Amino acid sequence: MKVMKFGGSSVAERFAQVLQIAEDGGDDTAIVVSALGDTTDQLLRAIEEAREGKKGQSEPALDTLRALVDRSVKVATDALGAQHEAELRELVDRVTADLPRLLSGIAALEECSKATADRVLSFGERVAASLVAFGLRQRGRNAEMVDSGTWTVTDDSFGSAAVLWDESAARVRALAIGWHPATVYVHTGFLGRTRGGRPTTLGRNGSDYTATLLARALSASEITIWTDVPGVMTGDPSLVDEAYPVPHLSYRETLELGGLGLRILHPRTIVPLLESGIPLRIRSTLDPAAEGTRIDAVALGGTARDRPTCVTSLEDVVLFELEGSQKSEGIGIAPRALSALAEAGVDVWFASLAPRGNGIAILVARAQVDRARAALERVFAADEVRGALQKLRTTDDVTLLTLVAEAMGQAPNVAGRFFGALGALGINVRAATQGATSRAISAVVSQADTPAAVRAVHAAFNLSREQVNLLLLGVGTVGSQVLSQLGEQREARLRDHDLDLRLFGVAGRTKAVHRAEGLDPTAAHETLQREGAPWNIDALLDALARLPVPILVDCTASDDMAPVYLAALRRGIHVVAANKKPLADTFAQYTSLRAAARRAHRAYRYETTVGASLPIVETLANLVRTGDRVRLVEGSFSGTLGYLSNEVMAGVPLSRAVARAKELGYTEPHPRDDLSGKDAARKALILAREVGLPAELAQVVVAPFVPESILAHEDLGDFFAALEHFDAAFDERIRGLKAEGRVLRYLARIDLTQPVPTLEVGPVGVPAAHPATRLRGSEAFVAFTTERYAEYPLVVQGAGAGGAVTAAGVIADVLALSQGLRGR
Ligand code: ASP
Ligand code: MG
């Protein structure tokens, strides 16, 4: 046997789907249904209307009843066809025949006992079961409705009756003898009867309980609860976009979740399962193919530490804190506080004891706060007067955040990850416990932090997928390429690398736009044009810092970014930069940036500042880190000047080659920054500092590619005009080099073999045997001669300029950074 239970909203909203699923279940399936939609609430309303109306006035209640009947008929008619309408109406009228009389009785008496209320409520489930049985018969099945009151024996606590298990099980066994194997029985959920036969109900949402009781009595092999949520979610979907159904939970975990106000299954529902070991599955009628959540006896312990877990947040709670003074030795604060609250009927959601019991933090529902305060003040009044107790502290607006996982207390670092995720966002934990059951860890946080806290903890435990949030500064050549590459690769990155790289914001020179849920990178340019507002870096960074793995990406060529980096690092934001300037500023500033990153435990990556995305900085850093001694760094770092050299060697006039390089995105915004050699000098300086030299830019001996007089032109038009003028002279020089069998290259040299290391950049006519002659197009090349690489230098070579490769390098830095954080 199998048991399937259908929730009220599924029956009301997807009647045909319910029938289909029930039918697919086959003959050996027992069905349990709840009342359609909000029928139970409507029946309660009818009771109120009857009771509260003028004496004997039952009209409003009967109107409510009529509406209910009409809706029930309509639900089934819509699914089964108009030809059945008369028959369905007759059926529903028959099932509800006693209701008008009952409601009139209530109206006449102006009161309704709990017993009578249960009688009224029972109609909801009886109508639902009758309709489903009818529907199955229309599909050619033998189906019959069963009033579960005929087998659910309860005590007489009407409204929320306790089930007498042995008697109920005996009844099922007796009844089952008469059940035909080829008939599908559709049981009402929620309903019971006393031994004397008076109708009772099992409490709100009691149908699930009926289903697990029936499953146990029938020794069913499994039970499925079909509802309108896809399963037990890893987090509250209204807070966490990425919440998804947990594939598996143990009974005990489910109990833990039930105790935390997760409404999906009442803890009582689990009891018959715990006792029988029958697995339960929660699935959605909205998506019948999805697996949903399986709940069974299997406790996946320490071996499965990375399986998904649930994060719950309980809001509208209040934190009480009691703390003793020196005089409080032995007054037993904790036990007295807890028993006072128990006596006052206050539910304690959380209690955390100070070591030695000299203080306690207690969480109660806001609704019970006055009662709790009164109870605590009463028991401790005398102690407070005596000075043995400090004043009772109350903190409103808090949330109880809990992570539930069977592996808790077995797997290492669960608490570390939990608190680490909160700490990374700067969320203050006011109190915490790791449950005695070791299946839960809880923290009390400010209510205002709830969404961020839930998301962070959820991500730390449930997302193999990592969310990374980028704030892109600069939408020039490189920035634009970063945007388009982010857009193009998004899907693949999610699919293949579990990485959700989000564009939190974009800032141009004057305007910025940002969105916590992320911008579409491909449309970011237009969004910036349309919605951009003057930017305030502090506000941007503050917002960015609230998101998982925040990264500031600097694709500007701006001079004054160092304070921005410092502000970002201070907030826990990582920095990835293609901008050389902050690194090539004073040595003092350089060290302060690196130190700030180290202090904040954040990354500052800048691979693209030398040779675009070629692994030059990283390679050198690794040599230094591993204790190699660098002797000589020589290379053509500037892809731009490399490209120009090749073009002019091939006979292209210099001015034309520069214009083309600019078009291709090989140059800095103003090409003179390349031609002056300044850009190459900055790169040499960055590498020198990477080696550990406390060098300043002024120490780099720079010979420009073209004379200073040309470089002086600020205006691009004038600049190009001057270049054209120079073309002939330059050509003369090239011809001279060629005659000597030499090749023009713009080289940088950091020579560390000298007592005082030298840094030089400049044009060189290299002989044909030099490795730099091999460079084509915008290729860059660096040779590291070190103690280990003494005879054959370590050479890195490849395309070293251009928006696309630089952008790819920027993204590579972002990826390397997030991989480092994930440890893979
Ligand atoms: N119809 C009842 C209620 O609304 C029982 C159930 O839905 O499980 O509480
Ligand atoms: Mg319900």
Side-chain angles (χ1 to χ4, degrees):
M1 280 308 283
K2 286 172 294 181
V3 173
M4 277 186 186
K5 181 258 169 177
F6 293 96
S9 57
S10 293
V11 181
E13 284 153 36
R14 286 170 295 283
F15 192 76
Q17 178 74 276
V18 165
L19 295 181
Q20 184 63 50
I21 294 170
E23 201 183 338
D24 293 345
D27 288 339
D28 57 350
T29 303
I31 300 201
V32 177
V33 293
S34 302
L36 273 64
D38 65 348
T39 297
T40 306
D41 291 320
Q42 293 301 323
L43 289 170
L44 284 169
R45 191 174 128 192
I47 291 172
E48 278 314 295
E49 286 165 344
R51 205 164 57 94
E52 301 221 310
K54 271 213 270 75
K55 196 173 181 72
Q57 258 286 18
S58 54
E59 258 330 295
L62 294 176
D63 284 346
T64 301
L65 173 62
R66 257 187 298 277
L68 260 184
V69 168
D70 289 347
R71 192 187 62 181
S72 308
V73 172
K74 182 170 170 8
V75 161
T77 312
D78 286 351
L80 299 170
Q83 73 276 22
H84 294 291
E85 182 169 357
E87 224 178 328
L88 283 163
R89 184 162 292 279
E90 199 201 321
L91 173 71
V92 176
D93 281 344
R94 187 158 14 94
V95 176
T96 56
D98 285 345
L99 257 181
R101 194 178 48 78
L102 274 170
L103 291 172
S104 306
I106 295 167
L109 290 171
E110 285 184 281
E111 69 170 27
C112 178
S113 68
K114 282 189 168 178
T116 307
D118 276 359
R119 211 177 271 270
V120 172
L121 293 185
S122 74
F123 289 94
E125 265 67 15
R126 281 157 59 191
V127 167
S130 305
L131 290 178
V132 170
F134 180 92
L136 286 172
R137 283 196 296 274
Q138 296 317 310
R139 292 173 156 244
R141 311 300 302 254
N142 292 320
E144 259 175 56
M145 176 268 205
V146 178
D147 183 337
S148 57
T150 57
W151 60 263
T152 309
V153 187
T154 71
D155 69 2
D156 60 0
S157 0
F158 297 97
S160 183
V163 173
L164 306 172
W165 167 247
D166 290 331
E167 288 167 53
S168 302
R171 290 265 181 108
V172 171
R173 280 194 294 271
L175 284 173
I177 294 170
W179 288 342
H180 196 277
T183 298
V184 176
Y185 292 90
V186 184
H187 298 247
T188 60
F190 186 47
L191 309 184
R193 266 182 223 166
T194 64
R195 283 182 181 134
R198 302 177 68 192
T200 55
T201 59
L202 306 186
R204 295 306 306 268
N205 301 315
S207 300
D208 293 341
Y209 189 28
T210 303
T212 58
L213 287 166
L214 181 62
R216 186 181 172 203
L218 293 172
S219 301
S221 59
E222 64 174 55
I223 151 163
T224 307
I225 293 192
W226 288 95
T227 174
D228 54 4
V229 294
V232 179
M233 303 297 279
T234 51
D236 180 345
S238 70
L239 293 177
V240 189
D241 289 344
E242 300 87 353
Y244 61 94
V246 206
H248 175 265
L249 283 172
S250 71
Y251 295 141
R252 302 257 167 219
E253 285 171 314
T254 312
L255 279 176
E256 199 87 49
L257 289 167
L260 291 162
L262 202 82
R263 274 175 296 274
I264 195 144
L265 274 188
H266 193 282
R268 177 184 58 177
T269 307
I270 307 291
V271 175
L273 302 176
L274 269 174
E275 285 164 348
S276 62
I278 301 169
L280 174 142
R281 203 175 264 287
I282 296 173
R283 299 176 69 173
S284 171
T285 49
L286 287 163
D287 183 10
E291 289 288 301
T293 299
R294 183 185 159 101
I295 299 172
D296 59 29
V298 180
L300 291 173
T303 52
R305 48 183 284 214
D306 282 328
R307 76 202 186 85
T309 44
C310 298
V311 185
T312 67
S313 47
L314 192 71
E315 294 187 64
D316 294 319
V317 284
V318 174
L319 184 70
F320 283 102
E321 284 167 290
L322 279 158
E323 201 186 332
S325 65
Q326 277 92 334
K327 291 194 218 162
S328 58
E329 206 63 59
I331 69 165
I333 293 174
R336 284 167 62 208
L338 291 172
S339 64
L341 292 173
E343 265 164 45
V346 174
D347 296 317
V348 171
W349 284 95
F350 162 106
S352 162
L353 226 56
R356 293 176 53 243
N358 198 29
I360 187 168
I362 295 170
L363 209 62
V364 306
R366 203 199 297 280
Q368 295 195 308
V369 69
D370 292 334
R371 213 191 298 175
R373 187 182 293 112
L376 292 171
E377 280 171 357
R378 206 172 323 114
V379 274
F380 291 114
D383 301 289
E384 214 184 302
V385 172
R386 242 176 359 103
L389 203 72
Q390 295 177 21
K391 191 130 190 63
L392 177 64
R393 268 205 311 272
T394 319
T395 316
D396 223 318
D397 301 329
V398 293
T399 293
L400 179 65
L401 185 76
T402 305
L403 176 81
V404 174
E406 191 73 48
M408 201 83 58
Q410 297 168 40
N413 201 26
V414 174
R417 272 152 83 202
F418 180 77
F419 292 114
L422 297 175
L425 295 185
I427 292 173
N428 184 25
V429 174
R430 292 159 182 273
T433 55
Q434 174 152 350
T437 56
S438 279
R439 267 178 219 95
I441 185 165
S442 302
V444 178
V445 301
S446 291
Q447 189 147 20
D449 287 331
T450 309
V454 171
R455 277 179 214 135
V457 172
H458 183 268
F461 285 88
N462 288 314
L463 304 178
S464 53
R465 165 185 295 189
E466 178 102 57
Q467 198 193 103
V468 173
N469 288 280
L470 308 179
L471 169 60
L472 175 68
L473 305 185
V475 283
T477 315
V478 177
S480 302
Q481 277 292 332
V482 167
L483 287 177
S484 65
Q485 291 181 20
L486 282 178
E488 280 160 26
Q489 299 153 13
R490 195 184 150 89
E491 287 308 313
R493 222 170 357 242
L494 271 177
R495 194 180 55 236
D496 304 333
H497 305 288
D498 288 328
L499 189 69
D500 181 9
L501 221 55
R502 294 200 184 181
L503 182 65
F504 156 78
V506 184
R509 225 177 273 283
T510 53
K511 290 197 288 183
V513 62
H514 69 98
R515 238 171 252 154
E517 69 278 12
L519 295 160
D520 174 3
T522 44
H525 241 126
E526 292 100 273
T527 315
L528 181 63
Q529 298 311 322
R530 212 177 42 240
E531 294 169 31
W535 52 297
N536 168 341
I537 192 67
D538 285 311
L540 276 175
L541 295 178
D542 280 340
L544 177 63
R546 308 291 298 171
L547 301 174
V549 194
I551 307 180
L552 176 77
V553 179
D554 180 10
C555 292
T556 69
S558 165
D559 278 319
D560 34 292
M561 293 308 287
V564 176
Y565 294 3
L566 290 174
L569 293 166
R570 220 182 304 117
R571 288 174 171 83
I573 298 170
H574 303 276
V575 176
V576 167
N579 183 357
K580 290 172 274 289
K581 308 256 171 78
L583 285 166
D585 207 310
T586 62
F587 186 69
Q589 180 176 87
Y590 171 86
T591 37
S592 82
L593 275 180
R594 300 272 307 242
R598 209 173 319 118
R599 247 197 327 274
H601 300 284
R602 291 300 181 269
Y604 173 24
R605 301 186 66 102
Y606 43 86
E607 182 58 82
T608 49
T609 55
V610 183
S613 66
L614 291 179
I616 294 175
V617 176
E618 183 67 13
T619 302
L620 180 55
N622 278 334
L623 292 173
V624 174
R625 260 199 292 267
T626 55
D628 202 348
R629 231 176 283 279
V630 180
R631 293 186 176 141
L632 177 70
V633 179
E634 191 187 33
S636 166
F637 305 153
S638 168
T640 317
L641 295 183
Y643 169 84
L644 292 179
S645 306
N646 277 330
E647 292 295 287
V648 293
M649 287 301 294
V652 181
L654 178 64
S655 60
R656 241 202 292 140
V658 175
R660 180 95 184 102
K662 179 159 169 50
E663 253 169 56
L664 291 170
Y666 292 169
T667 66
E668 295 294 307
H670 196 308
R672 69 175 172 178
D673 286 341
D674 298 291
L675 295 179
S676 67
K678 210 159 174 201
D679 190 59
R682 285 202 187 92
K683 291 173 183 165
L685 181 66
I686 291 170
L687 293 186
R689 288 176 170 176
E690 203 66 41
V691 181
L693 283 185
E696 298 290 354
L697 193 56
Q699 283 166 254
V700 186
V701 180
V702 188
F705 200 76
V706 295
E708 293 289 354
S709 56
I710 301 173
L711 299 171
H713 292 289
E714 178 76 49
D715 179 81
L716 274 175
D718 297 346
F719 170 78
F720 274 103
L723 259 188
E724 256 168 69
H725 210 75
F726 180 60
D727 277 344
F730 197 79
D731 190 49
E732 192 65 31
R733 230 175 91 194
I734 298 298
R735 251 183 278 165
L737 282 178
K738 280 189 179 156
E740 290 173 39
R742 290 176 180 264
V743 178
L744 177 70
R745 287 292 175 248
Y746 197 85
L747 293 186
R749 261 176 86 89
I750 306 168
D751 190 345
L752 295 124
T753 57
Q754 310 298 315
V756 178
T758 56
L759 281 86
E760 309 170 325
V761 295
V764 183
V766 295
H770 194 282
T773 55
R774 287 198 303 264
L775 302 179
R776 297 147 297 169
S778 65
E779 262 186 322
F781 124 96
V782 178
F784 298 110
T785 308
T786 70
E787 205 168 82
R788 286 187 203 131
Y789 293 93
E791 215 166 323
Y792 307 106
L794 171 53
V795 176
V796 181
Q797 181 183 337
V805 276
T806 308
V810 167
I811 293 177
D813 264 350
V814 167
L815 296 181
L817 192 164
S818 58
Q819 258 155 22
L821 294 177
R822 290 198 286 177
R824 62 183 157 98

